[in-house]
Amino acid sequence: MSHDYKFEGWLGKDKESAKGNMVWGDFPHVKPFEETDVDIQITHCGICGSDVHTLSSGWGPTTYPCCVGHEIVGKAVRVGSKVERGIKVGDRVGVGAQNSSCLKPDCEGCSDKLENYCQHIVTTFGDKYPDGSITYGGYADYHRCPSHFVFKIPDGIASEDAAPMLCGGVTLYSPLVVNGCGPGKKVGM
Ligand SMILES: [Zn+2]
Ligand SMILES: [Zn+2]
């Protein structure tokens, strides 16, 4: 399969972009492909409140141009020789809010499979890899991500249902599991 697709999408260029003013454009500093990476042709992307906060610089200054969207589902179109979980070209896959972490054995978070507690997280949009390349989110045609943070979507789940589970969904589901919630218990969210 040819890999000459372009990385482009809806870009916020300033704070006002959150008011319906995103513009379609190229992603200037996409991560160079590594053998642990997966390229995803995006078919679906959820909309999260964080998208609006980021576009409007509501969590401190955003580096523009920024393409938001971190509930991404699509088709794997390029996989490196060292990808995890046996992801293959053609698989339906998803990515949530995190693109990378250090994955070092001496990192408390990463070695406990709690990569979200790593001190070297790279988030799915508006963030920077150690080499200076930038992450661009899912309001786009393609997304490149280390396979450690790419998940196969089970056949029984429609893509439009799977996408919002990758941030909003897991944010609610995880504490229910961690706190042992189940039938008959009262919960608050
Ligand atoms: Zn989110
Ligand atoms: Zn780490």
Side-chain angles (χ1 to χ4, degrees), residues 2 28-29 56 75 81 94 118 120-121 130-131 144 153 158 186-187:
S2 130
H29 301 292
S56 59
K75 185 169 83 169
S81 58
C118 178
H120 304 282
I121 284 177
D131 72 354
R144 175 168 291 162
I153 306 295
K186 284 187 183 166
V187 299

Side-chain angles (χ1 to χ4, degrees), residues 101-104 107-111 115 117-120:
S101 67
C102 79
L103 301 180
K104 293 192 174 141
C107 168
E108 204 179 323
C110 291
S111 60
E115 295 87 341
Y117 291 112
C118 178
Q119 298 296 306
H120 304 282

Side-chain angles (χ1 to χ4, degrees), residues 66-78:
C66 178
C67 177
V68 297
H70 60 199
E71 298 176 341
I72 299 170
V73 172
K75 185 169 83 169
V77 290
R78 181 179 183 185

